[in-house]
Amino acid sequence: MIGHDSKKTYKAAIIGAGSGGLTMAVGLSNFGHDIVLIEGDKVGGDCTNVGCVPSKALLHAALVGEDNPLGWVRAKRDDLAQREDHEMEKHEKIHLVRGWAKLTPKSGDHHVVLVDGPNGQVEVHAENVIISGGSKPIVMPVEGLGAERVLTNENIFELESVPGTVVLVGGGAISIEMATAFGDLGSTVHIVELAGRLMGNEDPLVSSTMQEVFESRGMQVHLGTSIERFDEATQTAHLTNGATIADVDKVLIGIGRRPALGDLRLEAAGVETTKGGVVADTWGRTSVDGVYAVGDITGNTATTHGANSFARRTVRAIALPLPKVGDPRVIPNAVYSRPQIASVGLTVAEVDAMAAGGRKRYVKQLTDIDRGFTDDLEHGFIAVDVERFTGKILRAVIVGPSAAEMIGMFTIMIDHGIGLRKLFGTVHPYPSYSQAVGFLADEFATETFRSLPQEWFALTKAKIANRFKK
């Protein structure tokens, strides 16, 4: 419902109606609590309005050849945003207050949040406060580059027409997805990445595969460089390596995001922050009793599903008087380019830091299996790093069709301690891409069962070495 009782103390005041905030609001209301949901912009946050939903809609519109792809995307996005807003307005337990929130020091047994709204400032009293303000894109200044030519995820979907030439600065998820979309829409695409490879946090095999994919489609990938300056008169981007990109219509900055701390007055309320955002544990608890934080604003996750996962734990922390035990579930990553990229488990750096003798790596090219043959697949693979002897999944990465769906199998395996050894013999439909997982399990079992004592000894030796590293 719209509005609240300023004299009532609610179970919780939630600042931000993005993915984490909505999960908190619905979750606590399902436990029978009246809560206040505060939003100064649009319900749904970045994901619905300028992130996940419009970007995936654009990828679809580009692939199927919509006549007015950007207009179609906006209509799709606005429809969902309106439905989410309406749902919050009509909810019996959720009190929607529009405006920008500011924290105050705790007052007795409750917290007071000040909200600057369209009708002036109001107070919200609550036992608990959840900060879910999300994040904002990092925009780097480029000499000579006018603001009207710069795109971020916040304005790219407002374009009225497809740019002829677009430069994507950064080689991460945003640029990879938008390169796919604008390439399909007919734009000339350039990716400019300061590091030596695309998707620098991913497996190097991902980087080389995606570079090969893009270059095979006529896109140009500029690595180890950045834009030094822009010549507006000739619409030319000059790179630090001496190369130039001519006739540039738009420049998308996709180099990362930072927590949207804004004017929340966190310091005055005693809430500890760092450059990475609000300091919160895996239950969302901050340095102030009764103040929680979830989602991008904490730096604990940068994905919608990650924000939802942490928010569910925070709902439990507030609604259920149970011991706070148990680790959070593993959170997979997915990039919806063509082909898709998905990964889960330890980071590449964490795997590399482990003693090599205690782990093994298995790679299966999807082009080598029958489904890849029937689909004329050109690029795709599954790679897993596992613990020797047990087959425990350390990290898995997939590049290929439906990778975001397939990664769920490895996510479940990590969460429940299922290794490749236990997966041996599992039947997969024929012909399917999931058969590649079966081939990996077969390969692991063949190597391991033939020499169990040696495999056990190698694992034990590596574990001892890892302890000494620490």
Side-chain angles (χ1 to χ4, degrees), residues 392-406:
K392 172 185 176 182
I393 305 297
L394 303 174
R395 178 177 175 81
V397 60
I398 305 172
V399 171
S402 301
E405 279 70 35
M406 289 178 64

Side-chain angles (χ1 to χ4, degrees), residues 85-105:
D85 193 280
H86 182 73
E87 182 181 351
M88 292 300 102
E89 285 186 348
K90 298 301 180 182
H91 202 290
E92 293 183 356
K93 291 287 185 180
I94 299 173
H95 299 256
L96 181 61
V97 175
R98 301 189 191 274
W100 300 99
K102 299 175 183 177
L103 274 67
T104 65

Side-chain angles (χ1 to χ4, degrees), residues 17 21 65 107 177:
S107 176
E177 289 189 350

Side-chain angles (χ1 to χ4, degrees), residues 26-94:
V26 174
L28 289 173
S29 69
N30 285 342
F31 278 96
H33 297 299
D34 282 296
I35 62 94
V36 176
L37 179 62
I38 305 165
E39 177 55 61
D41 198 354
K42 296 177 180 179
V43 171
D46 275 12
C47 183
T48 297
N49 296 287
V50 295
C52 314
V53 170
S55 62
K56 306 313 169 280
L58 182 61
L59 284 161
H60 175 74
L63 182 61
V64 301
E66 283 287 338
D67 291 337
N68 179 15
L70 290 157
W72 185 88
V73 166
R74 286 191 290 274
K76 200 79 170 174
R77 172 199 66 187
D78 293 347
D79 176 61
L80 179 60
Q82 186 176 25
R83 285 191 278 131
E84 289 181 334
D85 193 280
H86 182 73
E87 182 181 351
M88 292 300 102
E89 285 186 348
K90 298 301 180 182
H91 202 290
E92 293 183 356
K93 291 287 185 180
I94 299 173

Side-chain angles (χ1 to χ4, degrees), residues 365-376 430-433 435 439:
Q365 295 293 331
L366 298 180
T367 53
D368 293 339
I369 67 175
D370 288 357
R371 184 54 187 273
F373 172 76
T374 62
D375 289 357
D376 280 334
Y430 177 87
S432 67
Y433 288 113
Q435 277 193 294
F439 291 136

